[in-house]
Amino acid sequence: MRSQSVTSSAHGGRRYSPYAFTERSVAMLSAVLRSETAVQISIHIINAFVAMRRFMAVHGGLLQRMDSLEKRQIHHEINTDDRFLLIAEDGGWKTRC
C-alpha cells in the first residue's frame, strides 16, 4: 500500500493510477456499459464489495486485535535484538558462551 500523504505530489493528486475500482466507480461504469456481459460482471463485483463489507463488519474487531498483537510482537523483537547487541558489545557474550 502507498500512503497518499507520502507519495502524492506537492500539488495534491496521485502520481500513479489506482489498481482497483471503488464500489461507486463500478456502479457508474455499469450505467455506461450496456452489454449483458458488462452488466453481469458489474453485478459480481458489487456482490464482492457487499461480501467484503459484511466480512469487515463481522471480523473487523478480530483484525484490529491481530494488528495490535503484531505491533507488540515487533516491539518485543526489537527490544530483544537490542539486548543481544548490548551483551555482544559488552563482551559478556564471550564470557557466557
Side-chain angles (χ1 to χ4, degrees):
M1 279 189 152
R2 296 183 190 175
S3 170
Q4 289 182 1
S5 63
V6 174
T7 60
S8 65
S9 68
H11 301 291
R14 295 180 183 207
R15 287 197 237 172
Y16 60 94
S17 299
Y19 294 113
F21 287 105
T22 63
E23 188 174 2
R24 175 180 269 168
S25 65
V26 171
M28 290 169 54
L29 184 63
S30 66
V32 174
L33 301 175
R34 301 274 184 205
S35 74
E36 184 62 32
T37 303
V39 170
Q40 291 302 314
I41 295 297
S42 296
I43 289 170
H44 287 297
I45 294 171
I46 294 292
N47 286 339
F49 274 107
V50 170
M52 184 175 59
R53 196 178 311 114
R54 285 183 184 151
F55 178 87
M56 291 302 295
V58 172
H59 302 292
L62 180 60
L63 295 173
Q64 286 177 344
R65 288 181 63 194
M66 288 174 58
D67 186 53
S68 174
L69 286 171
E70 182 180 18
K71 287 177 183 175
R72 285 178 30 208
Q73 190 273 332
I74 290 169
H75 175 74
H76 291 306
E77 185 177 315
I78 290 169
N79 286 341
T80 302
D81 289 346
D82 290 343
R83 289 178 185 160
F84 276 122
L85 287 174
L86 282 174
I87 291 171
E89 289 172 359
D90 187 30
W93 182 263
K94 295 176 187 173
T95 60
R96 289 185 177 96
C97 291

